[in-house]
Coordinates of all heavy atoms in Angstrom, one line a residue:
M1 N 148.3 144.5 93.6 CA 147.2 143.8 93.3 C 145.9 144.2 94.1 O 146.1 144.4 95.4 CB 147.4 142.3 93.6 CG 146.5 141.4 93.0 SD 147.0 139.7 93.4 CE 148.4 139.3 92.6
S2 N 144.8 144.5 93.4 CA 143.7 144.8 94.3 C 143.1 143.6 95.1 O 143.5 142.5 94.8 CB 142.5 145.2 93.3 OG 141.9 143.9 92.7
K3 N 142.4 144.0 96.0 CA 141.9 143.0 97.0 C 140.9 141.9 96.2 O 141.1 140.7 96.4 CB 140.9 143.7 98.2 CG 141.1 143.0 99.4 CD 140.4 143.9 100.5 CE 140.6 143.4 101.9 NZ 140.0 144.2 102.9
R4 N 140.3 142.5 95.2 CA 139.5 141.6 94.4 C 140.1 140.6 93.8 O 139.8 139.3 93.6 CB 138.5 142.4 93.5 CG 137.5 141.5 92.7 CD 136.4 142.5 92.1 NE 135.6 141.7 91.2 CZ 135.9 141.7 89.9 NH1 137.0 142.3 89.4 NH2 135.2 141.0 89.1
H5 N 141.3 141.0 93.1 CA 142.1 140.1 92.4 C 142.9 139.1 93.3 O 142.9 138.0 93.0 CB 143.3 140.9 91.6 CG 142.6 141.4 90.4 ND1 142.6 142.8 90.1 CD2 142.0 140.8 89.3 CE1 142.0 143.0 89.0 NE2 141.7 141.9 88.4
L6 N 143.1 139.5 94.4 CA 143.8 138.6 95.4 C 142.8 137.4 95.8 O 143.2 136.3 95.7 CB 144.1 139.3 96.7 CG 144.9 138.4 97.7 CD1 146.2 138.1 97.2 CD2 145.0 139.4 99.1
W7 N 141.5 137.8 95.9 CA 140.6 136.7 96.2 C 140.4 135.7 95.1 O 140.3 134.5 95.3 CB 139.1 137.2 96.5 CG 139.0 137.8 97.9 CD1 139.0 139.2 98.3 CD2 139.1 136.9 99.1 NE1 138.9 139.1 99.7 CE2 139.0 137.9 100.2 CE3 139.3 135.7 99.3 CZ2 139.0 137.5 101.5 CZ3 139.2 135.2 100.6 CH2 139.1 136.1 101.7
I8 N 140.5 136.2 93.7 CA 140.4 135.3 92.6 C 141.6 134.3 92.7 O 141.5 133.2 92.4 CB 140.2 136.2 91.5 CG1 138.9 136.9 91.3 CG2 140.6 135.2 90.2 CD1 138.8 137.9 90.3
V9 N 142.8 135.0 92.9 CA 143.9 134.1 92.9 C 143.9 133.0 94.0 O 144.2 131.8 93.8 CB 145.3 135.0 93.1 CG1 146.5 134.1 93.4 CG2 145.6 135.9 91.9
M10 N 143.4 133.4 95.3 CA 143.3 132.4 96.2 C 142.3 131.4 96.0 O 142.5 130.2 96.2 CB 142.9 133.2 97.6 CG 144.0 133.9 98.2 SD 143.5 134.9 99.6 CE 143.1 133.5 100.7
A11 N 141.3 131.7 95.2 CA 140.2 130.8 94.8 C 140.8 129.7 93.8 O 140.6 128.6 93.9 CB 139.0 131.5 94.3
L12 N 141.7 130.3 92.9 CA 142.4 129.4 92.0 C 143.2 128.4 92.6 O 143.3 127.2 92.4 CB 143.1 130.2 90.9 CG 142.2 131.0 89.9 CD1 143.1 131.9 89.0 CD2 141.4 130.0 89.0
V13 N 144.0 128.9 93.5 CA 145.1 128.1 94.3 C 144.4 127.0 95.1 O 144.6 125.8 94.9 CB 145.9 129.0 95.2 CG1 146.8 128.1 96.1 CG2 146.7 129.8 94.4
F14 N 143.3 127.5 95.9 CA 142.7 126.4 96.7 C 141.7 125.6 95.9 O 141.5 124.4 96.2 CB 142.0 127.1 97.9 CG 143.0 127.8 98.8 CD1 143.2 129.0 99.0 CD2 143.6 126.8 99.7 CE1 144.0 129.6 99.9 CE2 144.6 127.4 100.6 CZ 144.7 128.7 100.6
G15 N 141.2 126.1 94.9 CA 140.3 125.3 94.1 C 140.9 124.1 93.3 O 140.1 123.2 93.1
T16 N 142.2 124.3 93.1 CA 142.8 123.2 92.4 C 143.6 122.2 93.3 O 144.1 121.2 92.8 CB 143.7 123.7 91.3 OG1 144.8 124.7 92.1 CG2 143.1 124.6 90.1
A17 N 143.6 122.5 94.6 CA 144.3 121.6 95.5 C 143.5 120.3 95.4 O 142.3 120.3 95.5 CB 144.3 122.3 96.9
P18 N 144.3 119.2 95.4 CA 143.6 117.9 95.4 C 142.9 117.6 96.7 O 143.3 117.9 97.7 CB 144.8 116.8 95.1 CG 146.0 117.6 95.6 CD 145.7 119.1 95.4
V19 N 141.6 117.1 96.5 CA 140.8 116.7 97.8 C 141.1 115.2 98.0 O 140.9 114.5 97.2 CB 139.4 117.1 97.6 CG1 138.5 116.6 98.7 CG2 139.1 118.5 97.2
Q20 N 141.6 115.0 99.2 CA 141.9 113.6 99.5 C 140.7 112.8 99.9 O 140.6 112.7 101.3 CB 143.1 113.5 100.5 CG 144.3 114.1 99.9 CD 145.1 113.1 98.9 OE1 145.0 111.9 99.0 NE2 145.7 113.7 98.0
A21 N 139.8 112.6 99.1 CA 138.5 111.8 99.7 C 139.0 110.3 99.8 O 139.6 109.7 98.9 CB 137.4 111.9 98.6
E22 N 138.5 109.8 100.9 CA 138.9 108.3 101.2 C 137.7 107.5 101.2 O 136.5 107.9 101.4 CB 139.6 108.3 102.5 CG 141.0 108.7 102.7 CD 141.6 108.7 104.0 OE1 141.5 107.5 104.6 OE2 141.9 109.6 104.6
T23 N 137.9 106.2 100.9 CA 136.7 105.3 101.2 C 137.1 104.4 102.4 O 138.2 103.8 102.5 CB 136.6 104.3 99.9 OG1 136.3 105.1 98.8 CG2 135.7 103.3 100.1
I24 N 136.2 104.4 103.4 CA 136.5 103.7 104.6 C 135.5 102.6 104.7 O 134.4 102.7 104.5 CB 136.2 104.6 105.8 CG1 137.2 105.9 105.7 CG2 136.2 104.0 107.1 CD1 136.7 107.1 106.3
Q25 N 136.2 101.4 104.9 CA 135.4 100.2 104.9 C 134.9 99.9 106.4 O 135.7 99.9 107.2 CB 136.2 99.0 104.4 CG 136.1 99.0 102.9 CD 136.6 97.7 102.3 OE1 137.1 96.8 103.0 NE2 136.3 97.4 101.1
V26 N 133.6 99.5 106.5 CA 133.1 98.9 107.8 C 132.5 97.5 107.3 O 131.7 97.4 106.5 CB 131.9 99.8 108.2 CG1 131.3 99.2 109.5 CG2 132.4 101.2 108.5
T27 N 133.1 96.6 108.0 CA 132.7 95.1 107.7 C 131.6 94.7 108.7 O 131.6 95.2 109.8 CB 133.9 94.1 107.9 OG1 134.9 94.7 107.0 CG2 133.5 92.7 107.7
I28 N 130.6 94.0 108.1 CA 129.6 93.5 108.9 C 129.7 92.0 108.8 O 129.7 91.3 107.8 CB 128.1 93.8 108.3 CG1 128.0 95.3 108.3 CG2 127.1 93.2 109.3 CD1 126.7 95.8 107.5
D29 N 130.0 91.4 110.0 CA 130.2 90.0 110.2 C 129.5 89.5 111.4 O 129.7 90.0 112.6 CB 131.7 89.6 110.2 CG 132.0 88.1 110.0 OD1 131.1 87.4 109.7 OD2 133.2 87.8 110.2
K30 N 128.6 88.5 111.3 CA 127.8 87.9 112.5 C 127.1 89.1 113.4 O 127.3 89.1 114.6 CB 128.6 87.1 113.3 CG 129.3 86.0 112.6 CD 130.1 85.0 113.4 CE 130.8 84.0 112.7 NZ 132.0 84.3 111.8
L31 N 126.6 89.9 112.6 CA 125.7 91.1 113.3 C 126.5 92.1 114.1 O 126.0 92.7 115.1 CB 124.6 90.4 114.2 CG 123.6 89.4 113.5 CD1 123.4 88.3 114.3 CD2 122.3 90.2 113.2
V32 N 127.7 92.3 113.6 CA 128.6 93.4 114.3 C 129.2 94.2 113.1 O 129.7 93.8 112.2 CB 129.6 92.7 115.0 CG1 130.6 93.7 115.6 CG2 128.9 91.8 116.2
F33 N 129.1 95.5 113.4 CA 129.8 96.5 112.5 C 131.2 96.6 113.1 O 131.3 96.9 114.2 CB 129.1 97.9 112.6 CG 127.8 98.1 112.1 CD1 126.6 98.3 113.0 CD2 127.6 98.0 110.7 CE1 125.3 98.4 112.4 CE2 126.3 98.1 110.1 CZ 125.1 98.4 110.9
S34 N 132.2 96.6 112.2 CA 133.5 96.6 112.6 C 134.4 97.4 111.6 O 134.3 96.9 110.5 CB 134.1 95.2 112.7 OG 135.3 95.2 113.1
P35 N 134.9 98.4 112.0 CA 135.1 99.0 113.3 C 133.6 99.6 113.6 O 133.0 100.1 112.8 CB 136.1 100.1 113.3 CG 136.1 100.5 111.9 CD 135.8 99.3 111.1
A36 N 133.3 99.6 114.9 CA 131.9 100.3 115.3 C 131.9 101.7 115.3 O 131.0 102.4 115.0 CB 131.6 99.8 116.8
S37 N 133.2 102.3 115.4 CA 133.2 103.7 115.5 C 134.3 104.2 114.4 O 135.3 103.7 114.3 CB 133.7 104.1 116.9 OG 133.7 105.5 117.0
V38 N 133.7 105.1 113.6 CA 134.6 105.7 112.4 C 134.6 107.1 112.5 O 133.5 107.8 112.6 CB 133.9 105.1 111.1 CG1 134.5 105.8 109.9 CG2 134.2 103.5 110.9
E39 N 135.7 107.6 112.2 CA 136.0 109.0 111.9 C 136.2 109.4 110.4 O 137.0 108.7 109.8 CB 137.1 109.6 112.8 CG 136.6 109.7 114.2 CD 137.7 110.2 115.1 OE1 138.6 110.9 114.6 OE2 137.8 109.8 116.4
A40 N 135.5 110.3 109.9 CA 135.6 110.5 108.4 C 135.5 112.1 108.3 O 135.2 112.7 109.1 CB 134.5 109.7 107.7
K41 N 135.8 112.3 107.0 CA 135.6 113.8 106.6 C 134.5 113.8 105.5 O 134.2 113.0 104.8 CB 136.9 114.3 106.1 CG 137.9 114.4 107.1 CD 139.1 115.3 106.5 CE 140.3 115.5 107.5 NZ 140.1 115.4 109.0
V42 N 134.0 115.0 105.4 CA 132.9 115.3 104.5 C 133.6 115.1 103.0 O 134.7 115.5 102.9 CB 132.4 116.7 104.5 CG1 131.5 117.1 103.2 CG2 131.7 117.1 105.7
G43 N 132.9 114.3 102.2 CA 133.4 113.8 100.9 C 134.0 112.5 100.8 O 134.2 111.8 99.8
D44 N 134.3 111.9 102.1 CA 134.7 110.6 102.1 C 133.5 109.7 101.9 O 132.3 110.0 102.1 CB 135.2 110.1 103.6 CG 136.6 110.8 103.8 OD1 137.1 111.3 102.8 OD2 137.0 110.7 104.9
T45 N 133.7 108.4 101.6 CA 132.7 107.4 101.3 C 132.8 106.3 102.3 O 133.9 105.8 102.5 CB 132.8 106.9 99.9 OG1 132.6 107.9 99.0 CG2 131.8 105.6 99.7
I46 N 131.7 106.0 103.0 CA 131.7 104.8 103.8 C 131.2 103.6 103.0 O 130.2 103.7 102.2 CB 130.8 104.8 105.0 CG1 131.1 106.2 105.9 CG2 130.8 103.6 106.0 CD1 132.4 106.2 106.5
E47 N 132.0 102.6 103.0 CA 131.6 101.3 102.2 C 131.3 100.2 103.3 O 132.2 99.7 103.9 CB 132.7 100.8 101.3 CG 132.2 99.7 100.3 CD 133.4 99.4 99.4 OE1 134.4 98.9 99.8 OE2 133.2 99.7 98.2
W48 N 130.1 99.8 103.4 CA 129.7 98.6 104.3 C 130.0 97.4 103.4 O 129.3 97.2 102.4 CB 128.3 98.7 104.7 CG 128.3 99.8 105.8 CD1 128.4 99.7 107.2 CD2 127.8 101.2 105.6 NE1 128.2 100.8 107.8 CE2 127.8 101.8 106.9 CE3 127.5 101.9 104.5 CZ2 127.4 103.2 107.1 CZ3 127.1 103.4 104.7 CH2 127.2 103.8 106.0
V49 N 130.7 96.4 104.1 CA 130.9 95.1 103.5 C 130.2 94.1 104.2 O 130.6 93.8 105.5 CB 132.3 94.7 103.4 CG1 132.5 93.4 102.7 CG2 133.1 95.8 102.6
N50 N 129.0 93.5 103.7 CA 128.2 92.6 104.5 C 128.6 91.2 104.1 O 128.4 90.6 103.1 CB 126.7 92.8 104.1 CG 125.7 91.9 104.9 OD1 126.2 91.3 105.8 ND2 124.4 92.0 104.6
K51 N 129.1 90.6 105.2 CA 129.6 89.2 105.0 C 128.5 88.1 105.5 O 128.8 86.9 105.5 CB 130.9 88.9 105.8 CG 132.0 89.8 105.4 CD 133.4 89.3 105.8 CE 134.4 90.1 105.1 NZ 135.8 89.5 105.5
D52 N 127.5 88.6 106.1 CA 126.4 87.8 106.5 C 125.5 87.4 105.3 O 125.5 88.1 104.3 CB 125.6 88.6 107.6 CG 126.2 88.6 108.9 OD1 127.1 87.9 109.2 OD2 125.9 89.6 109.6
A53 N 124.8 86.3 105.6 CA 123.7 85.8 104.6 C 122.4 86.4 104.5 O 121.5 85.9 103.9 CB 123.8 84.3 104.8
F54 N 122.3 87.5 105.3 CA 121.0 88.3 105.4 C 121.3 89.7 105.3 O 122.4 90.2 105.5 CB 120.1 87.8 106.5 CG 121.0 87.5 107.8 CD1 121.4 88.5 108.7 CD2 121.3 86.2 108.0 CE1 122.2 88.2 109.7 CE2 122.2 85.9 109.2 CZ 122.6 86.9 110.0
A55 N 120.3 90.5 104.8 CA 120.4 92.0 104.8 C 120.5 92.6 106.0 O 120.0 92.4 107.1 CB 119.3 92.5 103.9
H56 N 121.2 93.9 105.9 CA 121.3 94.7 107.1 C 121.1 96.1 106.5 O 121.1 96.3 105.3 CB 122.7 94.7 107.8 CG 123.0 93.4 108.4 ND1 122.4 92.8 109.6 CD2 123.9 92.4 108.0 CE1 122.9 91.8 109.8 NE2 123.9 91.4 109.0
T57 N 120.9 97.1 107.5 CA 120.8 98.5 107.0 C 121.8 99.2 107.9 O 122.1 98.8 109.0 CB 119.4 99.1 107.2 OG1 119.1 99.2 108.6 CG2 118.3 98.4 106.6
A58 N 122.1 100.4 107.5 CA 122.8 101.2 108.4 C 121.8 102.6 108.4 O 121.6 103.2 107.4 CB 124.1 101.8 107.8
T59 N 121.2 102.8 109.4 CA 120.0 103.7 109.5 C 120.3 104.8 110.6 O 120.7 104.4 111.8 CB 118.7 102.9 110.0 OG1 118.5 101.9 109.0 CG2 117.7 103.8 110.0
V60 N 120.1 105.9 110.2 CA 120.1 107.1 111.1 C 118.8 107.6 111.4 O 118.1 108.0 110.3 CB 121.2 108.3 110.7 CG1 121.1 109.4 111.6 CG2 122.6 107.7 110.6
K61 N 118.3 107.4 112.6 CA 116.8 107.9 112.8 C 116.6 109.3 112.2 O 117.3 110.2 112.6 CB 116.6 107.8 114.3 CG 115.2 107.3 114.5 CD 115.0 107.1 116.1 CE 113.7 106.5 116.4 NZ 113.6 106.0 117.8
G62 N 115.6 109.5 111.5 CA 115.2 110.9 111.0 C 116.2 111.3 109.9 O 116.0 112.5 109.5
S63 N 117.0 110.6 109.4 CA 117.9 110.9 108.3 C 118.2 110.0 107.4 O 117.1 109.5 106.9 CB 119.3 111.4 109.0 OG 120.1 111.9 108.2
W64 N 119.3 109.4 107.1 CA 119.6 108.6 105.9 C 119.4 107.1 106.3 O 119.5 106.8 107.6 CB 120.9 108.8 105.3 CG 122.0 109.0 106.2 CD1 122.6 110.3 106.5 CD2 123.0 108.0 106.7 NE1 123.7 110.0 107.3 CE2 123.9 108.6 107.4 CE3 122.8 106.6 106.6 CZ2 124.8 108.0 108.2 CZ3 123.9 105.8 107.3 CH2 124.8 106.6 108.0
E65 N 119.3 106.3 105.4 CA 119.4 104.8 105.6 C 120.1 104.1 104.3 O 119.7 104.5 103.1 CB 118.0 104.3 105.7 CG 117.9 102.8 106.0 CD 116.5 102.1 106.2 OE1 115.7 101.9 105.4 OE2 116.4 102.1 107.5
V66 N 120.9 103.3 104.6 CA 121.5 102.5 103.5 C 121.2 101.0 103.7 O 121.4 100.5 104.8 CB 123.1 102.7 103.5 CG1 123.7 101.8 102.5 CG2 123.4 104.2 103.4
M67 N 120.7 100.4 102.6 CA 120.4 99.0 102.7 C 121.7 98.2 102.2 O 122.1 98.6 101.2 CB 119.2 98.8 101.7 CG 118.8 97.3 101.6 SD 118.0 96.5 103.1 CE 116.4 97.4 102.9
I68 N 122.0 97.2 102.9 CA 123.2 96.5 102.6 C 122.7 94.9 102.4 O 122.5 94.1 103.4 CB 124.3 96.5 103.7 CG1 124.4 98.1 104.1 CG2 125.5 95.9 103.2 CD1 124.7 98.2 105.6
P69 N 122.6 94.6 101.0 CA 122.1 93.3 100.8 C 123.0 92.1 101.4 O 124.2 92.4 101.5 CB 122.0 93.2 99.3 CG 122.2 94.7 98.8 CD 122.9 95.3 99.9
P70 N 122.5 90.9 101.5 CA 123.5 89.9 101.9 C 124.6 89.6 101.0 O 124.4 89.7 99.7 CB 122.6 88.6 102.0 CG 121.2 89.0 101.2 CD 121.2 90.4 101.2
K71 N 125.8 89.4 101.6 CA 127.1 89.1 100.7 C 127.3 90.2 99.7 O 127.8 89.9 98.7 CB 126.9 87.8 100.1 CG 126.7 86.5 101.0 CD 128.0 86.1 101.8 CE 127.7 84.9 102.7 NZ 128.8 84.7 103.5
A72 N 127.1 91.5 100.1 CA 127.2 92.5 99.2 C 127.8 93.7 99.9 O 127.9 93.8 101.2 CB 125.9 92.8 98.5
T73 N 128.1 94.8 99.2 CA 128.5 96.0 99.7 C 127.6 97.1 99.3 O 126.8 97.1 98.3 CB 129.9 96.4 99.2 OG1 129.8 96.7 97.9 CG2 130.9 95.3 99.5
A74 N 127.6 98.1 100.2 CA 126.8 99.3 99.8 C 127.5 100.5 100.4 O 128.2 100.4 101.4 CB 125.5 99.2 100.5
S75 N 127.4 101.6 99.7 CA 128.3 102.8 100.2 C 127.4 104.0 100.2 O 126.3 104.2 99.6 CB 129.4 103.0 99.1 OG 129.1 103.0 98.0
L76 N 128.0 104.9 101.0 CA 127.4 106.4 101.2 C 128.5 107.3 101.2 O 129.5 107.2 101.9 CB 126.6 106.4 102.5 CG 126.1 107.6 103.0 CD1 124.7 108.0 102.1 CD2 125.8 107.6 104.4
T77 N 128.3 108.4 100.4 CA 129.3 109.4 100.4 C 128.7 110.5 101.4 O 127.6 111.0 101.3 CB 129.5 110.0 99.0 OG1 130.0 109.0 98.0 CG2 130.5 111.2 99.0
L78 N 129.6 110.8 102.3 CA 129.2 111.8 103.3 C 129.2 113.3 102.9 O 130.2 113.7 102.3 CB 130.1 111.7 104.6 CG 130.3 110.2 105.0 CD1 131.5 109.9 105.9 CD2 129.0 109.7 105.8
K79 N 128.0 113.9 103.2 CA 128.0 115.2 102.6 C 127.8 116.3 103.8 O 127.9 117.5 103.5 CB 126.7 115.3 101.9 CG 126.9 114.4 100.6 CD 125.7 114.8 99.5 CE 125.9 114.2 98.2 NZ 125.7 112.8 98.2
T80 N 127.6 115.8 105.0 CA 127.4 116.7 106.1 C 128.2 116.4 107.3 O 128.6 115.3 107.5 CB 125.8 116.6 106.7 OG1 125.0 116.5 105.6 CG2 125.5 117.7 107.6
A81 N 128.9 117.5 107.9 CA 129.7 117.3 109.1 C 128.8 117.1 110.3 O 128.0 118.1 110.7 CB 130.6 118.6 109.3
E82 N 128.8 116.0 110.9 CA 127.9 115.6 111.9 C 128.3 114.3 112.6 O 129.1 113.6 112.0 CB 126.5 115.4 111.4 CG 126.4 114.3 110.4 CD 124.9 114.2 109.9 OE1 124.0 114.8 110.4 OE2 124.7 113.3 109.0
A83 N 128.0 114.2 113.8 CA 128.3 112.8 114.6 C 127.0 112.3 114.8 O 125.9 112.8 115.2 CB 128.9 113.2 115.8
V84 N 126.9 111.0 114.2 CA 125.5 110.4 114.3 C 125.9 108.9 114.8 O 126.9 108.3 114.8 CB 124.9 110.2 112.9 CG1 124.4 111.5 112.4 CG2 125.9 109.7 111.8
D85 N 124.8 108.5 115.4 CA 124.7 107.0 115.8 C 123.9 106.3 114.8 O 122.8 106.9 114.5 CB 124.1 106.9 117.1 CG 125.0 107.4 118.4 OD1 126.2 107.2 118.3 OD2 124.4 108.1 119.2
Y86 N 124.2 105.2 114.3 CA 123.5 104.4 113.4 C 123.2 103.1 113.8 O 123.9 102.6 114.7 CB 123.9 104.4 111.9 CG 125.3 103.7 111.7 CD1 125.2 102.4 111.3 CD2 126.4 104.4 111.8 CE1 126.4 101.7 111.0 CE2 127.6 103.7 111.6 CZ 127.6 102.4 111.1 OH 128.7 101.7 110.9
F87 N 122.1 102.4 113.3 CA 121.8 101.0 113.7 C 121.4 100.4 112.5 O 121.1 100.8 111.4 CB 120.8 101.0 114.9 CG 119.5 101.6 114.6 CD1 118.5 101.0 114.0 CD2 119.4 103.1 114.6 CE1 117.3 101.6 113.8 CE2 118.2 103.7 114.3 CZ 117.2 102.9 113.8
C88 N 121.1 99.0 112.7 CA 120.4 98.2 111.8 C 119.0 98.1 112.0 O 118.5 97.7 113.1 CB 121.2 96.9 111.6 SG 120.1 95.7 110.4
R89 N 118.1 98.4 111.0 CA 116.6 98.4 111.2 C 116.1 96.9 111.5 O 115.2 96.9 112.2 CB 116.1 98.9 109.9 CG 114.5 99.1 110.1 CD 114.1 100.3 109.2 NE 114.5 100.1 107.9 CZ 113.6 99.6 106.9 NH1 112.3 99.2 107.3 NH2 113.9 99.7 105.7
F90 N 116.8 96.0 111.0 CA 116.4 94.6 111.3 C 116.8 94.0 112.5 O 116.3 93.0 113.0 CB 116.8 93.6 110.0 CG 116.4 94.2 108.7 CD1 117.3 94.3 107.8 CD2 115.1 94.7 108.6 CE1 116.9 94.9 106.5 CE2 114.8 95.1 107.3 CZ 115.7 95.2 106.3
H91 N 118.0 94.5 113.0 CA 118.7 94.0 114.3 C 119.1 95.2 115.1 O 120.4 95.7 115.0 CB 120.0 93.1 113.8 CG 119.6 92.2 112.7 ND1 120.0 92.5 111.4 CD2 119.0 90.9 112.8 CE1 119.7 91.4 110.6 NE2 119.0 90.6 111.4
P92 N 118.1 95.7 115.8 CA 118.4 97.2 116.6 C 119.7 97.0 117.5 O 120.1 98.1 117.9 CB 117.1 97.4 117.3 CG 116.1 96.6 116.6 CD 116.8 95.4 116.1
N93 N 120.1 95.8 117.9 CA 121.3 95.8 118.7 C 122.6 96.0 117.9 O 123.6 96.2 118.5 CB 121.3 94.4 119.3 CG 120.3 94.1 120.4 OD1 119.8 95.1 121.1 ND2 119.9 92.9 120.6
M94 N 122.5 96.0 116.6 CA 123.7 96.4 115.8 C 123.8 97.9 115.8 O 122.9 98.5 115.2 CB 123.4 95.9 114.4 CG 123.6 94.4 114.2 SD 123.2 93.9 112.4 CE 124.7 94.7 111.6
K95 N 124.9 98.3 116.3 CA 125.0 99.7 116.5 C 126.4 100.1 115.9 O 127.4 99.5 116.0 CB 124.8 100.3 118.0 CG 123.3 100.2 118.3 CD 123.1 100.5 119.8 CE 121.7 100.4 120.1 NZ 121.6 100.2 121.6
G96 N 126.5 101.5 115.4 CA 127.7 102.0 114.9 C 127.7 103.5 115.1 O 126.6 104.2 115.4
Q97 N 128.8 104.1 115.1 CA 129.0 105.6 115.3 C 129.8 106.1 114.1 O 130.8 105.5 113.8 CB 129.8 105.9 116.5 CG 128.8 105.8 117.8 CD 129.7 106.1 118.9 OE1 130.8 105.7 119.1 NE2 129.1 107.0 119.9
L98 N 129.5 107.3 113.7 CA 130.1 107.9 112.7 C 130.3 109.4 113.0 O 129.3 110.1 113.3 CB 129.1 107.9 111.4 CG 129.7 107.9 110.0 CD1 130.8 106.9 109.8 CD2 128.5 107.6 109.0
T99 N 131.6 109.7 112.9 CA 131.9 111.2 113.2 C 132.4 111.7 112.0 O 133.4 111.4 111.6 CB 132.9 111.2 114.4 OG1 132.4 110.6 115.5 CG2 133.0 112.7 114.9
V100 N 131.7 112.7 111.5 CA 132.1 113.3 110.1 C 132.5 114.8 110.5 O 131.6 115.5 111.0 CB 130.9 113.4 109.1 CG1 131.4 113.7 107.7 CG2 130.4 111.9 109.0
T101 N 133.8 115.2 110.1 CA 134.2 116.4 110.2 C 134.4 117.1 108.9 O 134.4 116.5 107.8 CB 135.5 116.5 111.0 OG1 136.4 115.6 110.3 CG2 135.4 116.0 112.4
A102 N 134.4 118.5 109.0 CA 134.7 119.2 107.8 C 136.0 119.0 107.1 O 137.0 118.6 107.8 CB 134.7 120.8 108.0
P103 N 136.2 118.8 105.7 CA 137.3 118.4 105.1 C 138.5 119.4 105.4 O 138.3 120.6 105.8 CB 136.9 118.5 103.6 CG 135.8 119.2 103.4 CD 135.1 119.3 104.8
Ligands
CU201 CU1 121.1 93.8 110.6

């Protein structure tokens, strides 16, 4: 088998391997993200479940922001391997950490 054909076979094998994307829930209750610290992989989705009667955000300065309406959920699919600290724009004491690694 030529080297070129070997690469094609490998691409087929790895290309069809199932990707185990997960949804990770972070609950917001009484102005606290729980768990505060989450480890995830690229492709996973973070789902924030807001149990409070007012809106929150998950905000990364200079990057993304997710608005989480009262008594509702909001989600974000992670696309970048990075470790970030996030906070709520309305309640800056609310803090969380997200460590995203390559799949
Ligand atoms: Cu908030």
Side-chain angles (χ1 to χ4, degrees):
M1 195 184 295
S2 74
K3 217 172 187 178
R4 185 164 167 267
H5 282 118
L6 184 63
W7 279 114
I8 291 168
V9 169
M10 284 174 69
L12 288 173
V13 169
F14 289 107
T16 53
V19 176
Q20 297 284 329
E22 285 181 59
T23 298
I24 299 160
Q25 277 197 347
V26 176
T27 301
I28 304 168
D29 195 9
K30 299 181 184 73
L31 300 139
V32 175
F33 291 113
S34 175
S37 185
V38 166
E39 287 181 23
K41 291 193 181 333
V42 171
D44 288 351
T45 297
I46 305 292
E47 185 178 70
W48 286 274
V49 181
N50 185 2
K51 299 195 166 185
D52 288 335
F54 32 87
H56 295 292
T57 71
T59 303
V60 176
K61 218 173 187 173
S63 187
W64 47 262
E65 176 170 88
V66 176
M67 177 71 71
I68 312 140
K71 303 282 181 189
T73 66
S75 57
L76 174 77
T77 300
L78 304 164
K79 296 192 170 72
T80 316
E82 59 183 358
V84 290
D85 293 318
Y86 68 90
F87 60 96
C88 171
R89 187 147 56 95
F90 308 130
H91 314 100
N93 287 333
M94 290 176 64
K95 286 175 185 158
Q97 283 180 315
L98 206 52
T99 305
V100 187
T101 54

